[in-house]
Structures are given as C-alpha cells and as structure tokens.
C-alpha cells in the first residue's frame, strides 16, 4: 500500500489535465511518481501512445507533487507555481507505449528564497531511462501579482 496521499490531494490539476497516477516516493530533495499512458486518452497519437514531448508535463507535475508534499509536510498550504522552462530534454523514444508504467523522478538541484528552483528529472520504465530534462520552476509568494506583472509586459 502506498504511504502517500492520493495524487488528487497533492496536485491542483483536475480532469484530463491530471496525468500522474500516484506518488511512489518522496524525500525533501526528490519525488517519484508513476503514470501509465492510456490508449483512449485525448493525447494519444496515431499509434495510441503518449508522445514523448508530453514527458515535460509529466516531469512538471512530479515537481509540483514534490513542492506540494513539501508544503503539506511543513504544515503550509501549497502555493501555485509556474514552469519557467526546460533544458536539455532528451528522449530515447518518440512516444511511450500505452500500458507501460512510467516512473517519473524529480531531484531538487537548488531552491532560493525567492521561490526559484531547478530540478533534474527523468522518466524510466522497467529500469531503463527513457527521457530526461532539467526544469526551472518558480513559486512566487503572490502568484496573482506574478501573473499580472507578466501580463503588463506584453
């Protein structure tokens, strides 16, 4: 039995935008989640598989799970955050086959006081690394203000 709360209690994503199935492991410096692509999902390609570039979203949701669990275990509510970018995304496959359980890991490289953080992420199945990337994320104190500042710059 999984010791971690259901993924719906950890992430704010709902409906078809909630891609992860479960938190598998957590520590202050990393999180590990699982996801099994489905043949009937809205993202399925012509071969009914998950396109590899969706791996960035799986990684971002795993980072969000890490941030959410960290806040929860500290007695704080989770705050909204933003994916600022990905760097060096590499995938060994063009798509991830439906029915294959993907293990998504996010390892915290650094976090500063402003809420800026970097994670090294990877996706594996059956012990084989399928994809990797470094994600930059930002968890501002006031997310609404952060969004309004970015809207004014356009």
């Amino acid at each position: 039995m999984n010791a971690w709360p259901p993924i719906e209690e950890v992430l704010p994503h709902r409906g078809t935008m909630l891609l992860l199935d479960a938190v598998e492991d957590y520590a202050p410096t990393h999180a590990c989640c699982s996801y099994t692509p489905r043949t009937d999902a809205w993202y399925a390609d012509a071969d009914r598989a998950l396109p590899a570039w969706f791996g960035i979203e799986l990684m971002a949701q795993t980072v969000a799970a890490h941030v959410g669990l960290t806040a929860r275990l500290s007695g704080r509510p989770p705050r909204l955050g933003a994916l600022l970018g990905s760097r060096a995304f590499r995938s060994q496959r063009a798509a991830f086959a439906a029915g294959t359980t993907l293990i998504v890991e996010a390892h915290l490289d650094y976090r500063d006081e402003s809420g800026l953080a970097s994670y090294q992420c990877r996706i594996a199945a059956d012990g084989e690394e399928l994809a990797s990337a470094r994600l930059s994320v930002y968890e501002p104190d006031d997310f609404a203000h952060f969004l309004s500042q970015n809207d004014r710059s356009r």
Side-chain angles (χ1 to χ4, degrees):
M1 184 171 152
N2 196 328
W4 304 109
I7 198 70
E8 297 83 4
E9 292 181 19
V10 177
L11 293 179
H13 305 73
R14 293 293 176 258
T16 59
M17 290 311 297
L18 177 59
L19 295 181
L20 298 178
D21 294 326
V23 175
E24 301 296 333
D25 191 30
Y26 167 86
T29 59
H30 80 272
C32 179
C33 296
S34 61
Y35 181 65
T36 303
R38 293 148 181 78
T39 58
D40 62 346
W42 62 272
Y43 55 69
D45 64 13
D47 295 322
R48 299 174 19 154
L50 174 71
W53 55 268
F54 264 89
I56 294 173
E57 180 62 21
L58 294 175
M59 292 172 185
Q61 287 191 23
T62 300
V63 167
H66 180 259
V67 171
L69 281 168
T70 300
R72 181 183 185 131
L73 294 171
S74 299
R76 297 179 288 113
R79 297 185 313 213
L80 293 176
L83 172 64
L84 297 180
S86 64
R87 190 175 172 113
F89 177 75
R90 290 180 181 34
S91 180
Q92 306 304 318
R93 304 206 172 131
F96 306 126
T100 302
T101 299
L102 303 175
I103 302 300
V104 188
E105 299 175 16
H107 296 270
L108 178 65
D109 285 331
Y110 75 88
R111 175 180 303 280
D112 69 17
E113 294 299 317
S114 75
L116 185 64
S118 176
Y119 286 80
Q120 182 63 43
C121 301
R122 70 187 291 262
I123 298 173
D126 299 320
E128 176 188 359
E129 184 174 290
L130 303 179
S132 64
R134 181 174 310 279
L135 300 187
S136 296
V137 298
Y138 183 51
E139 186 184 15
D141 288 330
D142 184 344
F143 193 75
H145 179 73
F146 168 72
L147 287 179
S148 70
Q149 292 298 310
N150 288 319
D151 282 345
R152 281 192 263 169
S153 67
R154 292 183 183 166

